[in-house]
Amino acid sequence: MALTDRAGTRRRPEEAAVRGPAAPATAPRVVAGAAVAGVLLAALATLVWSGSFVAARALGATVPPVQAAFWRWAVALAVVAPFGARAAWRQRALLRRHPGWLLLASLLGVTVYNTLVHQAGTTTPAGTMGLVMAASPVLMALYERLGGARLGARRTTGTLVACGGVALLLGARPGAEPPGPADLWIVAAAVCFGSYSALLRRRPAGLGGPALLFTTFALGTLLLLPVYAVDVTLRGGFPATPGTVGPLLYLGVFSSAVAFFAWNRAVQLIGAARAGVVYYLQPLGVALLAYLLLDEVPGPVGLAAMALVLGGVALGAAPGAPRRRAR
């Protein structure tokens, strides 16, 4: 009886016994393709999140932070519910086996992180928020290293180069002032986001993206609900105008549903440390939005800093060459 290998070539049994099973020639290509997809997804999430700091800053004077966070996630939950609720129901047995992980992921990534971002938006400029948040990848890499992962010389070098570019960009801001006590809100947000990203590496095996999004969004919104009710009772609501509804829709649809799906998938494909290197693009996204919306033109030092960030991202996030197996 003839055997057929993966390429469709028919071989006799004795030939197959001598030559062994066909080698998966497409495996390196698949791995490289997944790495490229992961980098692109991380870049998409990062660039979308760049706009979230501008939106949070725009809402700072009109919408209380807790209320902004609650409605952001309420909108995001409505967006993912049509497909996420069904996926979560199909995986309900798996979800019931990991209540602690789901609760911690919801608390860090949904309830606390974004509330801190909106609190920071009441006092901290959008550019400063983006720059401080760029420290998150250092924490992601540290978590992976503590977990036993080897970052490698290239990724470590890329991280350091991109981090140096962020530091240079921070010093190049016109009228730059050192961070003050009010900026500790965004520092705490950076710690939350780095911890959430590292936690994604311990995501329960088999848990799909839509089910993860719906479950964490629902749990995070429920955790915010009592705090939201108290906040509305004490402060009152906010006016529903284009200036408040527009940013909240952007935050709910793009910065929450779209960006979190892309980021979670990126971390699943390439790991938190490599995705964190891509996250250094965020200050560039904020600077680009500041240029387009606020006419803030970066100077020569700022352009040099951006070049360092791009170079560090290209160095640290690029997929490595596949290793050949010893024969």
Side-chain angles (χ1 to χ4, degrees):
M1 179 179 177
L3 299 177
T4 303
D5 61 15
R6 294 187 180 184
T9 304
R10 297 174 66 84
R11 297 187 291 172
R12 295 182 181 279
E14 59 270 22
E15 183 184 358
V18 173
R19 295 175 57 186
T26 58
R29 185 178 302 174
V30 172
V31 171
V36 171
V39 170
L40 292 177
L41 287 169
L44 171 63
T46 298
L47 294 176
V48 171
W49 278 329
S50 298
S52 69
F53 296 109
V54 177
R57 183 63 174 159
L59 293 171
T62 54
V63 182
V66 171
Q67 297 181 40
F70 175 82
W71 284 109
R72 166 186 184 151
W73 292 111
V75 171
L77 185 60
V79 171
V80 303
F83 57 92
R86 183 177 302 176
W89 177 255
R90 287 197 299 264
Q91 295 196 293
R92 60 189 182 279
L94 176 61
L95 293 171
R96 282 198 295 264
R97 291 199 296 269
H98 302 278
W101 187 92
L102 289 168
L103 183 63
L104 185 58
S106 304
L107 190 67
L108 290 174
V110 177
T111 307
V112 179
Y113 163 59
N114 286 279
T115 304
L116 291 172
V117 169
H118 287 288
Q119 180 63 47
T122 61
T123 54
T124 304
T128 302
M129 287 195 286
L131 289 166
V132 173
M133 281 299 300
S136 296
V138 177
L139 188 60
M140 297 177 204
L142 178 61
Y143 277 133
E144 286 215 357
R145 187 67 187 91
L146 291 175
R150 294 184 61 184
L151 302 180
R154 185 175 62 181
R155 195 180 308 176
T156 302
T157 303
T159 300
L160 293 175
V161 170
C163 190
V166 170
L168 187 60
L169 192 61
L170 179 62
R173 289 182 301 135
E177 296 180 359
D183 298 322
L184 292 178
W185 294 112
I186 198 63
V187 172
V191 173
C192 264
F193 182 72
S195 303
Y196 167 77
S197 298
L199 186 65
L200 288 177
R201 292 297 285 173
R202 299 183 178 273
R203 173 179 176 168
L207 180 59
L212 172 63
L213 284 187
F214 177 79
T215 305
T216 53
F217 286 9
L219 285 175
T221 305
L222 285 174
L223 291 171
L224 271 171
L225 184 58
V227 186
Y228 169 79
V230 172
D231 194 76
V232 170
T233 302
L234 296 177
R235 298 191 185 194
F238 60 90
T241 64
T244 58
V245 174
L248 285 174
L249 288 176
Y250 175 86
L251 291 169
V253 176
F254 296 102
S255 293
S256 299
V258 174
F260 268 80
F261 178 83
W263 182 260
N264 292 353
R265 180 59 177 159
V267 171
Q268 187 179 20
L269 288 172
I270 61 176
R274 183 176 289 175
V277 177
V278 182
Y279 193 76
Y280 281 115
L281 289 172
Q282 185 164 262
L284 273 67
V286 175
L288 178 61
L289 287 174
Y291 171 73
L292 295 175
L293 302 178
L294 306 175
D295 294 327
E296 295 181 1
V297 181
V301 178
L303 293 174
M306 293 179 188
L308 282 175
V309 172
L310 289 173
V313 169
L315 180 64
R323 296 181 179 177
R324 295 183 179 180
R325 293 182 180 178
R327 294 187 178 183

